[in-house]
Amino acid sequence: GAGVSQSPRYKVAKRGQDVALRCDPISGHVSLFWYQQALGQGPEFLTYFQNEAQLDKSGLPSDRFFAERPEGSVSTLKIQRTQQEDSAVYLCASSLGGGENEFFGPGTRLTVL
Amino acid sequence: LAKTTQPISMDSYEGQEVNITCSHNNIATNDYITWYQQFPSQGPRFIIQGYKTKVTNEVASLFIPADRKSSTLSLPRVSLSDTAVYYCLVVTNTGGFKTIFGAGTRLFVKA
């Protein structure tokens, strides 16, 4: 389909490993968002891109988290030296522009052992 | 961004109308109200968005009073498949922004 896709859908990492989560937004969508969702909680904002520019990264919990969108389309969220508290679902969303409704992907469930 | 407050959970029966009210006392002039629905193991899905008065689409209606300090999502004749978490958000379109989700309202629809 033409929706937002994320890969992998599930990722198990050993504590201390680096992981990379991929998001393919809807073609033509300018804005891209990453969220972290813990079990039973609402999604928490991590970072926001407008094209390739990362306009807001205030939600990234530590310097172990890094996101990029080098060509203004596909985005990667990288987590270095994973910790158990990083276990969560990582959601990606895209929209036509700022303030437009967001289309979410299915998420990547990360489990850190 | 304006903080939102909504009930933690609600129960309903199939065929009933469900109204979920959200408070957003600090909403600003440029803000508008958006509702999302989330099923387990899926990302949130946009339901409806509005600025004032009433908005209706094929899924729901959104009622916003004149002071805009609250809004009510109305789901007509719910079915079991409407069991989900519903999030109320206040979004500011200033070119650079972040979307703040609360804990949402867990709606349980019973047969």
Side-chain angles (χ1 to χ4, degrees), chain B residues 19-77:
Chain B
N19 296 308
I20 306 174
T21 297
C22 177
S23 297
H24 26 79
N25 292 317
N26 296 323
I27 192 167
T29 303
N30 291 333
D31 295 344
Y32 51 93
I33 298 130
T34 307
W35 286 79
Y36 284 84
Q37 174 193 55
Q38 187 176 28
F39 298 111
S41 301
Q42 295 185 25
R45 182 177 72 100
F46 172 84
I47 301 175
I48 198 166
Q49 183 179 85
Y51 184 79
K52 62 180 180 180
T53 63
K54 177 183 175 182
V55 179
T56 298
N57 61 22
E58 64 278 6
V59 177
S61 294
L62 179 60
F63 299 91
I64 305 168
D67 66 5
R68 305 199 325 121
K69 294 184 183 299
S70 67
S71 60
T72 299
L73 175 72
S74 180
L75 304 172
R77 298 179 299 282

Side-chain angles (χ1 to χ4, degrees), chain A residues 1 11 13 33 56 59 62 81 106-107 110:
Chain A
K11 177 68 179 177
F33 309 80
D56 190 333
S62 77
R81 304 180 304 281
L110 172 65

